[in-house]
């Protein structure tokens, strides 16, 4: 036996006495359970933290799940009766860990940080200790999960593995001798939705940033309605809810924050800054509010009353409310403060300054009021700021970031708007600058908005993007990535993968996904299943990059999902097929045909492979069976969708070389049949990805309604509309010049908008003039498209001098002429940055 400290000698003397002088032989592996009997004891310190206790309970829970045997949890003051002791803790929480460190049997490197762990088997005479240790209790929790994963590997022969694996109980469990040290690659591993607390900690998530009420509207989830989180006489007159409802919510949130704290997870209460005030506040404290602002999403559907940020009384109220919230929830870690779009609720008075530089400074003062108030109560209170360096929270010199507490989290979306691509397009300078100030910068990983209510496995894209960033020497201060992927179907693969990649960017991600599928469906089905899902990943990534040239849904062809987070509803329905059949020229149509002709066979391969895999699969549960059935139907759905759109773009192209309606009608009828074939697939879906809280039946009915509208519109479409007049006799009279279908999209807009118009024949010239409401002309667009049919013209929102125009409503006139004919039309647009 190695030389030990007195405390260790005393501990192991007690252990030997408790064993009654029994001789346990040291086997090749460390016994945990044998023949249904416990061979190990879990030991924590007498003064163990709640996190250490939780780690011990989790370890016992999983071992019982694997073996149906419950291990004892004892303190270091109690003797053990087993040949194996699993010792959990930090040097401060468990004296045995401290003794092992003092003895030299265990070593904790300083660079383990706050979350790293050591997992080491130590042989001491006839006994074996498995030490699970870290500098902090959070490290101990993660070490316990690493030990559980080692059990799964031992039982399945698969590595890497995940805690989501499902195992049949066995009577024997032993572990090999181990000596593992691990620490996270990224410091912030976040989720922005309310998730099961156990799932979060079991996947090493340390930050939950969407706690509380988050409807996405700003009406009930902003600072203006945060009174509902407290029950104090000081705010009773400003409440819209009953006291019993508030008490119910307060107890629920306290329990939630306690549960997250116990699991080592930081909880952030979400609030728009500033959000719409409560009805009671509007009535009782109207002096704090600015004049009504027109906004269709308001409580009354017409206007809202924004807070006046320049009033000291508003800051006083904010300070009191924030401090009451912090005191109400002792285990709440921080606030997620979001400044974004209309939810921020601008006051247009001169003192506040709206979205001008002055207005941005006013909003920053509100945020500083919040941060200072919270930290007066709890100096360790944390903050997450979303919307930084966007429309509202401009901070080019990092002036305000320097005033925020160190460790504040900032974020940006993956890519331009979360589209499925392997390029995160990280704002490197911003990330590094904030990191140098002691803050964290995270990326909101690309999610499933592009296909909701369906899912896609984006694992390959995520891994490539993460590794691209991780291996870039110029990126030195990135905090991490949020969890991405669906909670339904095989989209869960993304969630599993995105959590693990945040910890270890060198992880064999393909093996992990294959092992998960092996566990769920058997080894024979796993590889073809994974291959089908990966093919679909790249097919959909290519399609959503520019909609294969078949849609101008973002305002002009070729821009894809940039600036517009699409969903499946956006690519089906009457508007979508009408847009496809309005492709403006033969070149675009030919390109779309080429793209769909390439994507379709790849998607057919994915569908064929997943159907073949389903024939050999052995689902481990009814849930796994339903997930696989949904995956098969989803692959078929995409085949039908691409086939339908290929027929439509072929119909457009056919109009350039035929004067007969029949071939065009045949293509459109073919598209209709494929659209019809999507309907039974949608009806057979077991679980859609939830969106906006809609029920399963509501989602299904909405999708079917969109497809029915698409089919009806195509059935009534006149094929001659697509016939281009070729080699017309010179004596044939030209049609009158008319302007049709005039609008701009998006409207309102931030960076740019696209004017869309149709001409009945070629014009000599077209111009678009933009005016203020007072009639002053600020910009003229000349030399823009003037061809017969569909036309587009993009405007960047700048005046003739190249300066961005202020927020507001503007008028525009489009004017054109051909020969002696003149046409013009008028419209309205809004700039909202």
């Amino acid at each position: 036996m190695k030389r030990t400290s007195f405390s260790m000698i005393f501990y192991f003397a007690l252990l030997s006495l408790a064993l009654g002088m029994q001789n346990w032989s040291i086997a090749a592996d460390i016994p945990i359970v044998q023949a249904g009997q416990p061979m190990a004891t879990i030991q924590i310190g007498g003064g163990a933290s709640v996190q250490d206790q939780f780690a011990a309970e989790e370890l016992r829970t999983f071992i019982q799940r694997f073996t149906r045997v419950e291990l004892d949890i004892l303190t270091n003051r109690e003797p053990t009766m087993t040949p194996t002791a699993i010792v959990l803790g930090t040097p401060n929480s468990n004296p045995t860990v401290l003794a092992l460190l003092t003895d030299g049997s265990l070593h904790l490197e300083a660079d383990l940080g706050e979350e790293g762990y050591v997992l080491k088997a130590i042989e001491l005479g006839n006994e074996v200790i498995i030490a699970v240790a870290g500098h902090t209790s959070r490290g101990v929790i993660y070490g316990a999960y690493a030990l559980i994963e080692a059990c799964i590997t031992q039982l399945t022969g698969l590595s890497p593995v995940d805690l989501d694996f499902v195992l049949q109980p066995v009577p024997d469990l032993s572990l090999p001798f181990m000596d593992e040290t691990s620490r996270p690659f990224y410091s912030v591993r976040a989720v922005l939705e309310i998730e099961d607390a156990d799932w979060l900690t079991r996947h090493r998530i340390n930050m939950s940033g969407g706690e509380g009420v988050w409807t996405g509207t700003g009406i009930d989830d902003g600072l203006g309605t945060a009174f509902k989180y407290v029950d104090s006489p000081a705010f009773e007159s400003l409440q819209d809810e009953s006291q019993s409802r508030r008490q119910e919510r307060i107890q629920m949130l306290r329990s939630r924050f306690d549960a997250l704290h116990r699991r080592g997870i930081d909880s952030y209460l979400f609030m728009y800054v500033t959000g719409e005030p409560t009805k009671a506040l509007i009535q009782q404290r109207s002096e704090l509010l600015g004049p009504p602002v027109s906004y269709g999403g308001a409580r009354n559907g017409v206007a809202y009353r924004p807070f006046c940020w320049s009033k000291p009384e508003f800051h006083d109220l904010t300070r009191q409310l924030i401090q009451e919230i912090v005191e109400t929830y002792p285990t709440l870690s921080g606030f997620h403060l979001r400044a974004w779009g209309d939810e921020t609720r601008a006051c247009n008075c001169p003192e506040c300054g709206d979205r001008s530089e002055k207005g941005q400074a006013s909003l920053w003062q509100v945020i500083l009021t919040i941060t200072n108030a919270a930290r007066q109560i709890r100096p360790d209170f944390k903050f997450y700021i979303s919307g930084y360096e966007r429309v509202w929270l401009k901070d080019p010199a990092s002036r305000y970031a320097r005033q925020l507490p160190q460790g504040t989290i900032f974020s940006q979306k993956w890519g331009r708007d979360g589209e499925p691509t392997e390029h995160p397009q990280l704002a490197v300078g911003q990330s590094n600058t904030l990191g140098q100030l002691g803050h964290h910068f995270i990326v909101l990983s690309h999610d499933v908005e592009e296909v909701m209510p369906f899912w896609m496995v984006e694992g390959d894209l995520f891994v490539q993007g993460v590794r691209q960033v991780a291996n870039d020497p110029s990126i030195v201060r990135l905090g991490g990535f949020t969890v991405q992927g669906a909670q339904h179907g095989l989209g869960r693969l993304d969630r599993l993968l995105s959590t693990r990649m945040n910890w270890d960017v060198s992880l064999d991600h393909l093996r992990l996904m294959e092992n998960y599928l092996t566990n769920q469906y058997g080894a024979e089905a796993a590889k073809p299943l994974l291959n089908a899902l990966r093919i679909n990943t790249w097919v959909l990534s290519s399609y959503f990059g520019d909609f294969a040239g078949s849609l101008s849904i973002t305002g002009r062809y070729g821009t894809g999902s940039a600036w517009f987070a699409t969903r499946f509803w956006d690519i089906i329905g009457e508007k979508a097929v009408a847009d496809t059949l309005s492709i403006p020229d033969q070149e675009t149509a030919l390109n779309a045909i080429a793209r769909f002709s390439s994507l379709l066979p790849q998607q057919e391969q994915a569908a064929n492979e997943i159907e073949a895999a389903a024939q050999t699969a052995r689902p481990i549960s009814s849930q796994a069976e339903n997930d696989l059935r949904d995956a098969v139907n989803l692959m078929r759905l995409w085949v039908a969708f691409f086939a339908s759109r290929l027929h439509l773009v072929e119909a457009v192209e056919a109009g350039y070389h035929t004067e007969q309606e029949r071939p065009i009608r045949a293509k459109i009828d073919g598209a209709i049949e494929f659209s019809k074939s999507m309907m039974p697939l949608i009806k057979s879906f077991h679980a859609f990805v939830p969106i906006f809280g809609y029920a399963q039946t509501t989602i299904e009915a909405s999708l079917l309604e969109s497809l029915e509208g698409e089919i009806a519109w195509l059935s009534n479409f006149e094929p001659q509309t697509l016939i281009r007049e070729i080699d017309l006799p010179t004596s044939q009279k030209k049609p009158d010049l008319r302007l049709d279908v005039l609008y701009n999209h998006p409207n309102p807009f931030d960076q740019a908008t696209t004017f869309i118009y149709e001409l009945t024949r070629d014009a000599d010239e077209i111009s678009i003039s933009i005016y203020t409401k007072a009639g002053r002309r600020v910009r003229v667009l000349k030399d823009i498209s003037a061809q017969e049919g569909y036309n587009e013209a993009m405007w960047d929102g700048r005046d003739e001098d190249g300066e961005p125009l202020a927020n507001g409503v503007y008028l525009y006139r489009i004017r054109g002429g051909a020969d002696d004919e003149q046409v013009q039309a008028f419209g309205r647009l809004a700039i909202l940055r």
Side-chain angles (χ1 to χ4, degrees), residues 146-168:
L147 184 60
I148 295 168
E149 289 167 359
C151 292
I152 296 174
T153 292
Q154 189 75 354
L155 293 172
T156 63
L158 301 174
S159 181
V161 294
D162 187 82
L163 294 171
D164 289 339
F165 280 39
V166 179
L167 304 180
Q168 297 300 320

Side-chain angles (χ1 to χ4, degrees), residues 461-701:
L461 307 173
F462 181 80
V463 170
Q464 285 200 27
V466 170
R467 287 180 177 161
Q468 167 192 329
V469 170
N471 295 323
D472 188 336
S474 69
I475 301 172
V476 295
R477 296 287 186 171
L478 183 63
F481 297 81
T482 58
V483 172
Q484 63 97 19
Q487 299 184 47
H488 295 73
L490 296 184
R492 295 189 188 93
L493 279 169
D494 277 347
R495 296 169 63 73
L496 178 158
L497 192 58
S498 61
T499 59
R500 294 297 297 270
M501 286 295 297
N502 266 291
W503 188 277
D504 179 9
V505 297
S506 64
L507 176 77
D508 186 342
H509 75 288
L510 295 178
R511 179 63 60 85
L512 175 62
M513 291 195 291
E514 183 182 329
N515 288 349
Y516 178 86
L517 294 172
T518 297
N519 176 255
Q520 295 287 309
Y521 301 105
E524 186 177 357
K527 285 188 177 180
L529 267 174
L530 180 58
N531 193 51
L533 294 169
R534 295 182 69 208
I535 291 171
N536 180 249
T537 295
W538 292 103
V539 168
L540 293 187
S541 177
S542 175
Y543 169 75
F544 281 109
D546 63 353
F547 302 101
S550 66
L551 289 174
S552 61
I553 202 166
T554 57
R556 65 184 186 277
Y557 287 92
T559 57
S561 59
W563 306 110
F564 195 90
T566 61
R567 301 178 179 92
F568 194 72
W569 282 279
D570 296 314
I571 59 176
I572 63 171
E574 177 181 334
K575 290 183 179 179
V577 292
D579 196 53
T580 298
L581 292 180
S582 66
I583 286 177
D585 54 66
Q586 188 176 21
E587 181 181 358
T588 301
L590 287 169
N591 175 67
I593 290 172
R595 291 290 307 286
F596 280 118
S597 296
S598 172
L599 295 175
L600 180 56
Q602 296 178 64
Q603 186 58 37
E604 287 174 333
Q605 180 186 351
N608 292 337
E609 290 201 25
I610 207 164
E611 287 177 354
Q615 298 301 314
T616 63
R618 301 188 305 277
I620 200 168
S621 64
S622 58
Q623 179 67 64
E625 185 175 1
N626 289 330
D627 290 346
L628 180 56
R629 188 181 301 117
D630 279 356
V632 170
N633 289 331
L634 186 53
M635 297 302 110
R636 291 174 180 159
L637 183 86
W638 285 116
V639 169
F641 173 81
F642 289 134
S644 172
R645 275 34 185 179
L646 176 58
H647 276 69
L648 290 183
V649 295
E650 286 177 337
V652 173
E653 201 279 329
Y656 285 94
H657 50 74
T658 182
E659 296 182 13
Q660 302 297 316
E661 293 185 17
R662 182 176 298 175
I664 299 175
R665 183 74 257 173
K667 291 293 183 183
I668 293 175
D669 289 343
I672 291 172
E673 291 307 309
F674 281 111
S675 297
K676 288 179 178 178
S677 71
M678 287 190 271
M679 299 180 75
L681 295 172
I682 288 172
K683 291 179 181 178
S684 64
F685 231 74
H686 178 262
F688 295 107
V689 174
I691 182 170
F692 301 139
Y694 292 158
Q696 180 90 357
T697 53
T698 302
I699 292 175
E700 179 183 301

Side-chain angles (χ1 to χ4, degrees), residues 304-515:
Y304 61 81
R305 292 287 304 277
F307 284 108
C308 188
W309 301 334
S310 61
K311 291 183 180 294
E313 297 84 357
F314 165 66
H315 287 262
D316 290 341
L317 178 63
T318 298
R319 189 178 301 108
Q320 295 167 17
L321 174 60
I322 290 300
Q323 293 185 341
E324 186 72 24
I325 292 174
V326 175
E327 291 179 335
T328 300
Y329 304 101
T331 54
L332 175 64
S333 304
F335 290 138
H336 173 181
L337 305 176
R338 184 173 187 177
W340 195 262
D342 291 301
E343 292 84 1
T344 295
R345 309 294 200 237
C347 174
N348 293 326
C349 73
E351 289 77 15
C352 284
D354 193 18
R355 297 193 183 194
S356 66
E357 185 175 343
K358 183 177 181 180
Q360 291 164 1
S362 298
L363 181 57
W364 273 116
Q365 291 306 314
V366 175
I367 289 179
L368 292 175
T369 292
I370 294 172
T371 57
N372 293 333
R375 287 170 68 85
Q376 284 176 3
I377 303 299
R378 288 207 356 232
D380 63 344
F381 208 74
K382 302 177 181 180
F383 302 92
Y384 165 35
I385 308 294
S386 58
Y388 182 75
E389 272 297 341
R390 300 290 293 182
V391 175
W392 280 106
L393 297 179
K394 295 290 186 181
D395 190 22
S398 305
R399 171 189 172 190
Y400 296 104
R402 296 175 192 277
Q403 300 178 57
L404 294 171
Q406 284 200 350
T408 296
I409 299 172
F410 302 81
S411 63
Q412 72 160 73
K413 283 187 177 182
W414 182 292
R416 298 182 73 180
D417 198 17
E419 67 268 38
T421 171
E422 67 271 34
H423 302 296
Q425 299 179 26
L426 177 68
V428 178
Q430 189 177 123
S431 172
N432 290 343
T433 296
L434 292 171
Q436 290 164 1
L437 294 174
H439 299 314
H440 302 290
F441 189 82
I442 64 173
V443 175
L444 307 186
S445 307
H446 53 77
D447 51 29
V448 293
E449 268 199 328
E450 279 70 21
V451 292
M452 278 184 179
F454 302 109
W455 48 263
M456 64 179 284
V457 174
E458 302 181 52
D460 282 357
L461 307 173
F462 181 80
V463 170
Q464 285 200 27
V466 170
R467 287 180 177 161
Q468 167 192 329
V469 170
N471 295 323
D472 188 336
S474 69
I475 301 172
V476 295
R477 296 287 186 171
L478 183 63
F481 297 81
T482 58
V483 172
Q484 63 97 19
Q487 299 184 47
H488 295 73
L490 296 184
R492 295 189 188 93
L493 279 169
D494 277 347
R495 296 169 63 73
L496 178 158
L497 192 58
S498 61
T499 59
R500 294 297 297 270
M501 286 295 297
N502 266 291
W503 188 277
D504 179 9
V505 297
S506 64
L507 176 77
D508 186 342
H509 75 288
L510 295 178
R511 179 63 60 85
L512 175 62
M513 291 195 291
E514 183 182 329
N515 288 349

Side-chain angles (χ1 to χ4, degrees), residues 45-59:
S49 67
V50 293
Q51 288 84 13
D52 284 0
Q53 295 173 39
F54 175 79
E57 292 166 7
E58 282 286 87
L59 186 55

